[in-house]
Amino acid sequence: MTYDLIIIGGGPAGLTAGLYGARGGLHTLIIERGAPGGQAGQTDRIENYPGFPEGISGLDLAFKFTEQAQKYGARLEMGTVEKVDFSGEIKRVWTGEGEYTGRAVIIATGASPRPLDVPGEEALRGKGVSYCATCDGAFFRGKKVAVVGGGDSAVEEALFLTRFADQVSIIHRRDKLRAIKVLQQRAQENPKINFYWNTVVEAILGESKVEALRLKNVASGDTWEEPFDGVFIFIGLKPNTEFLGNTIALDENGYIITREDLSTSSPGVFAAGDVRSKAFRQVTTAVGDGAAAAMAAQKYLAEAVQ
Ligand code: NAP
């Protein structure tokens, strides 16, 4: 059976596209590789999504998005998309489970945390090296942890970790944070948080779990070892576009290039959310993208029929 619309990725962008597609009468399939909700679903509290003045947990918001898309008939299937063929009018998408076909596709696969690429990181992943504070924070009750990075994610997650850890050290390569002011202020006022400015992690040390970090002050050139029980890495994102091969145009960082209507270089293929080359990556902007991409897909399908 050929769907009208296949949406790859079930985060805020994909689920909103699913809602708009299904509610607009398209036979819509969403393929998600893990739990619906994407990165937002792993966020403890979302305070900047309108309609929830008290804030809402990422998990609850993801559940509401999913429920609303399914209520209007979007079908949700689990699977990891491994390969696509967008060359024909009927688009082909393969997961480990088999092949799906659709007349239009929206790619909403988001972005994943970028690794530091330092010695010890891979070997100690899951043994004190983490990329998700909501997932792993509770393991560090009463402990001393490091957070690497200076953006919104690093500061937000450092604040979250103070609920468990006794001490949270933000290690940032410059002397100024990139995070928005309100987060900076909260971190600076939190007695559990301290900062290592102009500092990079050279190696993550430990036998069977994280024991220490080898740090370098880039201003003075000093290097030293500092004991930590865990290290949370938030140094930005990498787009989840590997499965696309060279089927559509990507920018120099691997994000999908789109036109104003979110169409891509391949007719009938649209992109929405964090996977798209754009300036801002927020739940609100992802949701807007999802709606716009679904409406553009609908227009494309209507014109294709004529
Ligand atoms: P980001 O904004 O790209 O920040 C990455 C941080 O990591 C920067 O401070 C950067 O340093 C540092 N960094 C990059 N490469 C590094 C390396 N190799 N070694 C050490 N440090 C490195 O990434 P993000 O914080 O993950 O946020 C991603 C997007 O999600 C952003 O658009 C952000 O606004 C959004 N977001 C929003 C919220 C919210 O609204 N509450 C929460 C989370 C994320 P420099 O500053 O020196 O470049």
Side-chain angles (χ1 to χ4, degrees):
M1 187 199 54
T2 295
Y3 287 91
D4 294 322
L5 178 61
I6 295 180
I7 298 160
I8 309 176
L15 292 168
T16 306
L19 164 66
Y20 270 71
R23 194 165 174 273
L26 300 182
H27 198 201
T28 302
L29 170 71
I30 305 170
I31 305 173
E32 164 58 39
R33 67 176 169 183
Q39 292 216 109
Q42 295 188 350
T43 305
D44 175 55
R45 199 130 205 97
I46 296 176
E47 294 179 342
N48 51 7
Y49 191 78
F52 300 94
E54 309 302 324
I56 180 165
S57 88
L59 200 63
D60 286 347
L61 189 60
F63 182 73
K64 284 178 188 292
F65 285 162
T66 310
E67 194 187 1
Q68 200 169 353
Q70 287 181 318
K71 178 178 163 187
Y72 289 99
R75 187 183 165 89
L76 182 64
E77 293 234 351
M78 290 294 141
T80 301
V81 173
E82 290 162 357
K83 204 173 70 156
V84 293
D85 179 357
F86 296 150
S87 59
E89 220 163 276
I90 300 296
K91 320 292 172 205
R92 305 170 73 189
V93 170
W94 286 271
T95 68
E97 308 301 308
E99 182 187 349
Y100 298 95
T101 52
R103 295 164 57 224
V105 170
I106 296 176
I107 301 162
T109 43
S112 300
R114 213 148 54 79
L116 256 180
D117 281 334
V118 295
E121 182 178 17
E122 201 43 51
L124 295 169
R125 187 187 271 252
K127 298 171 183 157
V129 174
S130 173
Y131 305 85
C132 176
T134 350
C135 317
D136 301 326
F139 295 124
F140 296 91
R141 209 172 282 279
K143 305 262 164 108
K144 179 179 166 183
V145 299
V147 169
V148 186
D152 288 339
S153 300
V155 178
E156 197 167 76
E157 304 301 315
L159 284 161
F160 174 74
L161 287 167
T162 60
R163 292 195 205 170
F164 309 102
D166 276 355
Q167 192 194 316
V168 179
S169 302
I170 296 182
I171 299 170
H172 184 36
R173 63 182 179 183
R174 289 190 297 140
D175 61 356
K176 247 189 237 88
L177 294 172
R178 178 184 291 277
I180 53 163
K181 282 278 175 301
V182 62
L183 289 174
Q184 291 196 25
Q185 204 174 340
R186 278 188 210 164
Q188 261 138 10
E189 286 167 1
N190 192 309
K192 283 188 173 179
I193 295 183
N194 67 339
F195 294 89
Y196 287 84
W197 300 112
N198 298 311
T199 302
V200 295
V201 175
E202 284 199 325
I204 301 172
L205 311 170
E207 283 298 317
S208 57
K209 61 181 183 59
V210 171
E211 290 164 19
L213 299 180
R214 193 164 72 236
L215 301 176
K216 179 179 183 178
N217 184 304
V218 290
S220 66
D222 291 347
T223 60
W224 73 103
E225 280 180 21
E226 186 75 33
F228 284 104
D229 301 298
V231 54
F232 288 79
I233 297 164
F234 300 107
I235 59 157
L237 303 169
K238 68 173 171 39
N240 296 320
T241 47
E242 296 88 350
F243 67 97
L244 290 170
N246 49 15
T247 51
I248 55 176
L250 307 176
D251 72 10
E252 68 280 11
N253 297 314
Y255 290 94
I256 299 172
I257 298 170
T258 51
R259 300 185 191 88
E260 205 191 334
D261 67 350
L262 306 197
S263 58
T264 67
S265 61
S266 182
V269 180
F270 302 81
D274 283 4
V275 75
R276 193 165 80 75
S277 184
K278 61 175 185 171
F280 302 112
R281 296 195 165 82
Q282 301 282 311
V283 183
T284 44
T285 58
V287 159
D289 273 9
M295 288 191 282
Q298 214 154 9
K299 188 162 175 279
Y300 163 83
L301 290 171
E303 284 166 3
V305 167
Q306 282 161 15

